[in-house]
Amino acid sequence: MKILVQSTGLDIVPGIISELKTHQPDWQYIAWPSDEPCDYVVGWKPPAELFARQPALKAVINYGAGVDAILAMNAVPAHMPIIRLEDAGMAQQMAEYAIYGVIHHHRNMRIYHAQQRDVHWEQHEDRGNVRRPTVGVMGLGEMGGAVATRLAAFGYSVRGWSRSKHEIENVLTFAGHDALPTFLSGCDVLISILPLTESTRGILNATTLAQLPRGAFLVNAGRGGHLVDADVVAALNSGQLGGALLDVFHEEPLPKDHGYWSHPNVIVTPHIAATTPIKDACAQIVAKITALSRNEMVSGIVDPKVGY
Ligand code: NDP
Ligand code: OXD
């Protein structure tokens, strides 16, 4: 079996190939670009040219959880399944990132960081002394489900929102577009871990942000396209949003002159909420390709019509 390995950005291809070899030494691994006919491609944002030059491919394994970029390229032939990574060690990282955001807000850390810069000692009433914040999670899939469960175990009151109804212990769940205003109205901290689709693009806008309690804190680890940036900045400036922890942006790297960099109530991180851990990812990729080659059921098949 021949596996084509491709990536965009950091040159992680040699590392992926050597890790795949440890799991399945009998297969042949070929780094893109190559015209040698391959059976499967493991890739991140593969170029359209790859599919034109590799007509024998049977499936694409997306080297990540989000498939918005590969779907937006419109280059994968309609008959070819796209299979994404599921958790693969990312859900734990996502939960850590989310908990960091919640604690930053809940324990007044922005104020203490500013006070330290001013060499100023002053204790503030902890937000949780009045009422422990309620945390809302948008998207209850591999990432969001794990985040909601772990936040509940941490003692937060947690609610979650998804397309279809989910049952998660100790989490109040909501489903569908009509339930969104009710869900948002109880979120002191809102964590978005949605996939970017035609239904979720721009979902965090002036209307939805106004449905949050005043002073709510926003964590966005889904995709930058979920935010209407001008509306987020307006909500931050008016105090409707008390602050934001943002990991993903319309344009990455975030342009140097973007207002988020210098906004006093915004923390910017460079798309690191959950990075693909090579060992877990390669173990999962080999298992998925093995199952595909035996015509067995494989999970994580993307539905291009819904976009995730
Ligand atoms: P999943 O496909 O497992 O989960 C997606 C969740 O979003 C599901 O609960 C789904 O609902 C819900 N959803 C999708 N569309 C809608 C909608 N229109 N309305 C309400 N809910 C909706 O994805 P993952 O959890 O694995 O990943 C989610 C996203 O996280 C990725 O697509 C990617 O964009 C982002 N990500 C970011 C990373 C980072 O470092 N910042 C790292 C990894 C992922 P339902 O359950 O009903 O289908
Ligand atoms: C992913 C990501 O989707 O890294 O896996 O954002």
Side-chain angles (χ1 to χ4, degrees), residues 44 63-67 90 222-223 248 271 274-276:
W44 180 245
Y63 193 75
V67 289
M90 286 183 274
R223 285 291 184 261
V248 282
H271 200 140
T275 53
T276 307

Side-chain angles (χ1 to χ4, degrees), residues 96-106 189 191 217 219 245:
E96 290 159 0
Y97 188 86
I99 287 171
Y100 172 81
V102 173
I103 290 175
H104 176 85
H105 174 70
H106 170 195
V189 179
I191 300 170
F217 188 82
V219 178
L245 169 60

